[in-house]
Amino acid sequence: MKRDVSTAVVYAALGGNLAIAVTKFGAALYTGSSAMFTEALHSLVDTVDQGLLLYGLHRAKRPPDEAHPFGYGLELYFWSFVVALLIFSLGGAFAIYQGIEKIRHPELIQDAWVNFTVLGLAVLFEGYSFGVAWREMRRRHADVGMWSALRRSKDPTTFTVILEDGAALIGLCVAAIGVAVSVGLDEPRADGVASFAIGVLLVGVAIVLARETRSLLIGEGASAAFLSRARDLVGRDERIACIQDVRSLQIGTNSVVLAMVLSFRDGTTAEERDDAFDTAYGRLKSALPSLAYVYLMPSRGGP
């Protein structure tokens, strides 16, 4: 697990969201804007989420022990799932409730220029955080589109920040529209509608995030590209007739367990098989640094 990459992305998001949350809460209390209050709550939830991700990164770095022989890498996926639940409950569900209440009981927004100023500053902070996570995701998955990269990624810290900050940028635009319509058309219910829309957006993000982290949490295999590379490295040995079976398990952001069943050509001696195993192991460990554990076994029906 790379501290300089994963934690840099999370710290960038944490710092930005904390500053934005404080500013938004002040603006919401001063102007009485429901959409701004929803946005403030959104930033506060995001700040807590980044704290949980940092805690998950710290817990996942613990070395293997008797109770967890493959280490604690999966714990990061657990805390990422908790983050999804928080976005759904404290962010999305509450924003929807707040929006409905403001639609039922609309209130005029005071000094709307404060809201627009805060929203503009928030776009700058969120944009910076989003850019850090975006560049890291593109660096790792430059060969596919962003949605495919999010589906392929095994690093919840990066794709969580991208989803959160992406939703935040969209939410800021929605909040600005809500405030503008409320003030410009003298329709205070528009502010509540904006809050409701932001809540629906957050619920959608939470569902996507929960789905991705759930897949990793219950035991997802390594990527197709990783397995293809592993097959190619092992299959180069002429003494190996075929690779009968391949099993893998992602046990952390950069930690994979790999097991292979190999079938040898007729006439291969026991000494040659042992040498082939050693050669394959060396190639795999050298070319695939995220490979934490390798298990190579001969087929039962092979020589």
Side-chain angles (χ1 to χ4, degrees):
M1 197 165 298
K2 298 180 180 180
R3 180 188 183 283
D4 57 335
V5 172
S6 296
T7 56
V9 171
V10 180
Y11 273 121
L14 176 65
N17 282 314
L18 181 59
I20 294 169
V22 173
T23 307
K24 286 178 180 177
F25 271 118
L29 292 174
Y30 183 75
T31 63
S33 169
S34 171
M36 180 58 70
F37 183 79
T38 300
E39 276 296 311
L41 183 64
H42 179 189
S43 295
L44 179 62
V45 172
D46 284 352
T47 303
V48 174
D49 291 345
Q50 267 82 66
L52 290 176
L53 289 177
L54 288 173
Y55 180 71
L57 282 168
H58 171 72
R59 297 278 296 178
K61 293 174 184 176
R62 290 179 295 168
D65 54 30
E66 185 176 348
H68 296 84
F70 289 116
Y72 290 82
L74 290 174
E75 188 158 351
L76 177 58
Y77 301 151
F78 167 77
W79 289 109
S80 299
F81 190 78
V82 172
V83 165
L85 296 179
L86 288 178
I87 295 175
F88 182 90
S89 57
L90 297 182
F94 185 81
I96 291 174
Y97 169 78
Q98 181 76 6
I100 292 173
E101 285 298 303
K102 285 296 182 179
I103 292 173
R104 294 176 58 194
H105 309 289
E107 297 178 9
L108 292 175
I109 297 177
Q110 305 296 325
D111 296 322
W113 65 269
V114 175
N115 283 339
F116 290 120
T117 301
V118 172
L119 290 172
L121 292 173
V123 167
L124 295 178
F125 284 117
E126 295 284 7
Y128 170 76
S129 174
F130 181 81
V132 172
W134 177 279
R135 287 191 295 272
E136 175 57 24
M137 184 66 77
R138 300 313 302 156
R139 185 186 68 81
R140 295 186 183 185
H141 307 285
D143 58 325
V144 296
M146 179 50 65
W147 180 249
S148 296
L150 289 171
R151 298 294 304 274
R152 179 190 293 184
S153 177
K154 309 296 184 180
D155 182 3
T157 57
T158 301
F159 67 66
T160 297
V161 171
I162 285 179
L163 289 172
E164 282 189 343
D165 288 349
L169 289 171
I170 296 173
L172 289 169
C173 294
V174 173
I177 293 172
V179 174
V181 172
S182 295
V183 176
L185 300 181
D186 194 24
E187 180 50 77
R189 288 184 178 85
D191 190 45
V193 172
S195 179
F196 182 87
I198 293 169
V200 172
L201 173 66
L202 293 178
V203 168
V205 168
I207 291 173
V208 172
L209 182 57
R211 178 182 176 182
E212 292 303 309
T213 52
R214 170 186 171 276
S215 178
L216 291 166
L217 187 60
I218 64 176
E220 187 174 296
S223 68
F226 182 97
L227 295 178
S228 177
R229 175 65 170 156
R231 285 179 176 274
D232 178 66
L233 290 167
V234 175
R236 293 176 185 178
D237 197 317
E238 295 182 353
R239 294 167 293 189
I240 298 175
C242 68
I243 301 172
Q244 288 195 350
D245 193 17
V246 178
R247 303 291 176 92
S248 66
L249 179 64
Q250 193 81 31
I251 59 172
T253 300
N254 291 295
S255 190
V256 176
V257 176
L258 179 68
M260 283 186 167
V261 178
L262 309 179
S263 178
F264 292 91
R265 298 188 185 279
D266 293 338
T268 305
T269 66
E271 185 176 285
E272 289 174 330
R273 289 200 299 271
D274 290 341
D275 183 64
F277 279 132
D278 291 339
T279 301
Y281 181 87
R283 286 176 179 170
L284 289 169
K285 294 291 287 185
S286 176
L288 301 172
S290 61
L291 197 53
Y293 302 92
V294 184
Y295 300 96
L296 302 175
M297 297 158 281
S299 64
R300 292 184 178 180

